[in-house]
């Protein structure tokens, strides 16, 4: 699949200092790039009420992403208690 990074996602990653968490995130991104569909990647859950919004759990963090036509846009990567305040925003 084709993967794009939104500016908000890159800003969220810059704030993280934990090396183990960044390693897990890197492995997840590689899995997403190599996967044929999102069902092939573990811990990916579609958000109810949104057509193309998904979330992935990595420890205490959640990654919000949009997937449409085999194109993934990584939108946010924040702590679990803040993800639904900033993602997905408007219904797409």
């Amino acid at each position: 699949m084709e993967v794009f990074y939104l500016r908000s996602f890159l800003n969220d990653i810059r704030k993280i200092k934990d090396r183990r968490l960044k390693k897990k995130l890197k492995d997840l991104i590689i899995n997403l790039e190599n996967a044929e569909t999102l069902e092939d990647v573990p811990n990916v859950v579609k958000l109810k009420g949104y057509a193309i919004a998904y979330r992935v759990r990595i420890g205490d963090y959640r990654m919000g992403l949009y997937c449409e036509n085999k194109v993934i846009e990584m939108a946010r990567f924040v702590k679990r208690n803040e993800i639904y305040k900033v993602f997905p925003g408007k219904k797409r």
Side-chain angles (χ1 to χ4, degrees), residues 10-73:
L10 297 175
N11 288 338
D12 291 340
I13 290 178
R14 278 192 207 112
K15 296 175 187 176
I16 296 172
K17 305 297 182 203
D18 186 7
R19 289 184 181 176
R20 281 188 246 151
L21 181 63
K22 284 190 174 185
K23 171 82 170 92
K24 289 179 184 179
L25 179 62
K26 180 181 175 183
D27 294 340
L28 175 67
I29 292 171
I30 291 170
N31 284 342
L32 287 170
E33 290 173 346
N34 295 332
E36 292 294 321
T37 64
L38 281 181
E39 289 79 28
D40 298 341
V41 181
N43 296 326
V44 175
V45 177
K46 185 177 184 314
L47 296 180
K48 294 179 183 178
Y50 298 93
I52 59 173
Y54 296 83
R55 69 134 172 102
V56 182
R57 185 176 70 100
I58 302 176
D60 285 341
Y61 282 79
R62 303 294 183 268
M63 179 173 62
L65 57 95
Y66 300 108
C67 181
E68 189 172 31
N69 300 329
K70 293 199 175 195
V71 175
I72 296 175
E73 289 182 349

